[in-house]
Amino acid sequence: MALSVLMILDVIVSVLLMGSILLQSGKSSGFAGLGGGESLFGGKPTDMDEALSRFTTVLGIAFAVINVVIARLQ
């Protein structure tokens, strides 16, 4: 029972983690970003970028912990 709940939670966390990674803006615009100095060094992140970065970190840690617990229970 607990293992099934953890596996479902693992799937939900992994989908949220993928979504939060995909929603983050890139550090530069690829080859187009090589021209400007500010875009070359990443520029100043916005509040949304910082929030997504923290959310991604929390989800990554939760994903790792859940997977370790699942591995221990099996």
Side-chain angles (χ1 to χ4, degrees):
M1 174 73 178
L3 189 60
S4 298
V5 171
L6 282 173
M7 287 184 167
I8 292 170
L9 186 63
D10 192 38
V11 170
I12 292 169
V13 169
S14 65
V15 169
L16 288 173
L17 183 61
M18 287 185 282
S20 69
I21 290 170
L22 290 174
L23 286 174
Q24 291 182 15
S25 62
K27 298 287 183 201
S28 68
S29 305
F31 287 118
L34 292 177
E38 184 178 46
S39 64
L40 180 63
F41 296 108
K44 184 174 174 105
T46 63
D47 291 337
M48 185 64 158
D49 289 335
E50 290 177 14
L52 276 173
S53 177
R54 289 185 183 133
F55 187 62
T56 303
T57 302
V58 169
L59 285 175
I61 292 169
F63 181 74
V65 168
I66 291 170
N67 281 310
V68 167
V69 172
I70 288 173
R72 291 284 182 175
L73 290 177
Q74 285 186 350

